[in-house]
Structure formats: C-alpha cells, structure tokens
Amino acid sequence: MKKKATKKKVVKKAVKKTVKKAIKKTAKKTVKKAAKKTTKKVVKKIAENEAVVKFQIQTDQGCEVYVAGSFNAWDPKANKLRKVKDVHTISLTLSKGRHEYKFVINGVWCVDPNCAEWQPNSMGSINSLLTVE
C-alpha cells in the first residue's frame, strides 16, 4: 500500500524540479531569451524613478505564493500573488535600480525560474535579480 505524499513533500519536489529547470536554462541562448523576457516584465513607467513590474510564476494547484525581496524588506507575507488559471501574478511599483527577490511558495523560498540573472546571498543560496531602468 502506497502512502499518500504529504503536502510538504509535494512542494519540495515541485521546488526542486523548478530549480533544476532554471539551472538548465542558463545556456547562452536561453539566457538571452530569458533576459528579453525579464525586460518585458516592466509594464510601464510611472515616474522618472519608478516602473510597474509584473511578477509571475506557474505552480501546482493549491499553492499560496508571495514575492519577497529588497523592495519590501524581504517580508515573506507582504505581497501575495493572485492566481489566474495556473499562473500566480502580481504587479508592483518599484524604484529604478537592481532588486533581489524570491518567491515564497507555501512557505518555501524559491528563485524565479524565468529570471536570467541570479545573485548569491548570505544564506548560501541564490536570489533572482531584476534591474528596473
């Protein structure tokens, strides 16, 4: 008799799969495409020093997703993404400059698999990096 997979194990498996896919996508061609995709995230400029940035990530059903980063003091519950079909999304007004961030999926911190740039952090892992121009 098979045991039912716990929610935590399912999330861990999904995160590992997402991270593995993201790491594989770092080939030169893919990085260029991903950089273009990340650049397209900036929807419109609000003022000279700000722009609206759209964050999105595809997840399994039943996931609760937030985005945390240098723009919100790394608060894991500050910015909850809305689910539209199987994609979680949120648009935030960010200042010009470089911003590090991660998604928090059911309490598990994850890099953005669609982001072309990553930055090592003090926790021994990596953060996604977004430049707002």
Side-chain angles (χ1 to χ4, degrees):
M1 180 186 281
K2 290 184 179 180
K3 291 182 180 181
K4 288 185 178 180
T6 64
K7 213 174 197 183
K8 194 173 185 178
K9 286 182 182 178
V10 171
V11 170
K12 280 186 178 180
K13 188 175 180 180
V15 169
K16 282 182 183 178
K17 188 176 179 181
T18 302
V19 171
K20 282 182 182 178
K21 281 183 182 178
I23 291 170
K24 287 180 182 179
K25 288 185 176 184
T26 57
K28 268 188 179 179
K29 234 181 208 181
T30 308
V31 169
K32 286 179 184 177
K33 286 180 185 177
K36 286 179 185 176
K37 198 181 264 187
T38 302
T39 305
K40 289 178 184 176
K41 284 184 183 179
V42 178
V43 178
K44 64 177 184 175
K45 290 188 177 184
I46 298 296
E48 285 286 319
N49 299 329
E50 296 179 326
V52 174
V53 178
K54 184 176 182 180
F55 293 92
Q56 59 186 22
I57 187 167
Q58 188 171 356
T59 62
D60 294 332
Q61 265 187 315
C63 290
E64 188 173 60
V65 182
Y66 295 85
V67 64
S70 55
F71 48 83
N72 67 4
W74 293 98
D75 184 345
K77 296 280 186 178
N79 300 108
K80 185 174 183 178
L81 282 69
R82 257 186 348 211
K83 185 163 185 171
V84 179
K85 295 189 180 180
D86 60 346
V87 177
H88 283 82
T89 184
I90 190 171
S91 293
L92 300 174
T93 302
L94 300 182
S95 60
K96 279 186 176 180
R98 295 170 66 100
H99 300 280
E100 293 183 34
Y101 69 97
K102 279 190 169 184
F103 290 113
V104 183
I105 304 171
N106 292 341
V108 179
W109 293 75
C110 308
V111 294
D112 182 351
N114 296 317
C115 184
E117 291 185 75
W118 294 323
Q119 176 77 32
N121 62 31
S122 61
M123 304 299 285
S125 64
I126 56 175
N127 295 332
S128 300
L129 189 62
L130 172 68
T131 303
V132 177
E133 298 176 340

